[in-house]
Amino acid sequence: MTAEVDALSTLRASGLLDVLTWAAPAAFAATDQVYDEDQGHDQGVVGYLNFKHLKDHLDRATSNGRFELADGLNGAGLDVLKRGITPEAFDSMPNLAADAVVRRDYKQSPGWAIPGYRVLLQSYPFGKIDDIKWVQRSDAKKRVADQLFLGDDTLFSDEEFGLESIPGIPDDDDFAGVTLVAAHAFNPMTKQFELYIGQSKNPGQNDDSCWHWKKKLLSGGTPMGGTGLPVPPAMPRGGASTDVEDVPVRIKRTGAGEGSGMANG
């Protein structure tokens, strides 16, 4: 089994892959509602808004961050989960089991983890997925791109290769496993968007790839400045709802998540 196949099958079985493919179009739609070129918004603004909206949606669907409950509570109302997203996005939100996905941040970069894998977020200009220079990103992303790649169809033992052959980032004591990157892009002018996931790497030579492997999860939009409707998968439309009932509907974990057992540096 290749590294890519193993990662994707594990992410899919856990539900985290469903959460990513749900969260991205909803996040891009939220960014589209805010973006205004006439106010000087540029690619930096788009990347920041996409990141904030994606982080919020991922936390919302996995009961983490501000959607994690305090000790002694085990349910959240519709008012909490529905506030800030469209009814369409809420209705299609994946329903994960308690503790299926937990927050495991790395050097202040938000991460969502399942046994064996963690996913961080990274924005990039649409169409430039192969041009990301990790050494010019945050220290966290540079170190993630230096992470050991064990290769495909290869088994290693500690006796043969030493402890450094264990997957993971050597200076990260809070997570044991492979850290992947979910790379996202949205062009608010054309409404085109992309979502990839893969294991990043710092190229050894100028013509090397910046990925050990990557997989396109989503793409859509209206190409080349058109004004038609987005092609599937379409982004949710309309504004976020604030008129909701306060009814307990989800069972959530207590004690785990962003506030415990995470890297804070």
Side-chain angles (χ1 to χ4, degrees):
M1 180 180 293
T2 67
E4 176 181 350
V5 170
D6 182 60
L8 292 175
S9 62
T10 304
L11 291 170
R12 184 174 292 108
S14 71
L16 182 51
L17 205 63
D18 289 338
V19 170
L20 286 166
T21 55
W22 164 81
F28 300 151
T31 295
D32 194 41
Q33 292 287 322
V34 179
Y35 175 82
D36 188 349
E37 185 180 20
D38 292 335
Q39 295 189 50
H41 293 178
D42 56 12
Q43 180 60 44
V45 174
V46 172
Y48 176 78
L49 289 173
N50 282 344
F51 164 76
K52 296 298 286 187
H53 292 145
L54 265 170
K55 177 176 175 289
D56 181 83
H57 283 57
L58 289 170
D59 278 345
R60 189 185 302 265
T62 61
S63 306
N64 284 295
R66 67 189 182 98
F67 301 98
E68 178 188 7
L69 296 188
D71 290 344
L73 299 178
N74 63 359
L78 285 173
D79 65 324
V80 176
L81 292 174
K82 280 190 170 182
R83 189 182 301 134
I85 63 173
T86 66
E88 179 184 357
F90 175 80
D91 290 342
S92 59
M93 184 171 66
N95 185 19
L96 268 61
D99 292 327
V101 178
V102 298
R103 279 288 294 272
R104 289 292 181 268
D105 297 1
Y106 177 61
K107 291 184 174 293
Q108 300 182 340
S109 184
W112 292 264
I114 59 174
Y117 293 96
R118 171 174 56 189
V119 177
L120 306 184
L121 300 175
Q122 180 62 57
S123 67
Y124 68 95
F126 182 85
K128 303 293 185 179
I129 185 63
D130 293 314
D131 299 330
I132 300 175
K133 293 180 172 56
W134 302 108
V135 295
Q136 298 177 4
R137 304 288 177 167
S138 66
D139 183 54
K141 300 300 169 53
K142 179 182 182 298
R143 289 176 179 268
V144 167
D146 281 334
Q147 188 179 207
L148 180 69
F149 180 66
L150 295 184
D152 297 335
D153 300 315
T154 305
L155 296 177
F156 294 90
S157 68
D158 294 344
E159 291 77 11
E160 290 179 288
F161 293 92
L163 292 176
E164 67 274 9
S165 67
I166 299 174
I169 305 170
D171 65 347
D172 184 10
D173 295 329
D174 291 311
F175 179 73
V178 178
T179 298
L180 306 175
V181 176
H184 54 92
F186 171 57
N187 185 331
M189 303 301 294
T190 66
K191 314 305 180 190
Q192 290 175 282
F193 60 91
E194 296 176 329
L195 176 68
Y196 284 82
I197 194 166
Q199 184 174 348
S200 58
K201 76 171 181 176
N202 289 311
Q205 303 178 22
N206 290 335
D207 58 350
D208 280 352
S209 172
C210 58
W211 298 94
H212 288 292
W213 64 266
K214 68 180 187 299
K215 173 71 173 179
K216 181 186 286 187
L217 300 180
L218 290 175
S219 65
T222 306
M224 300 307 295
T227 58
L229 295 175
V231 298
M235 298 184 296
R237 315 185 83 187
S241 172
T242 59
D243 183 16
V244 294
E245 300 176 13
D246 184 8
V247 181
V249 293
R250 287 167 68 88
I251 302 301
K252 302 190 177 185
R253 66 177 171 277
T254 58
E258 189 172 5
S260 62
M262 297 188 314
N264 294 316

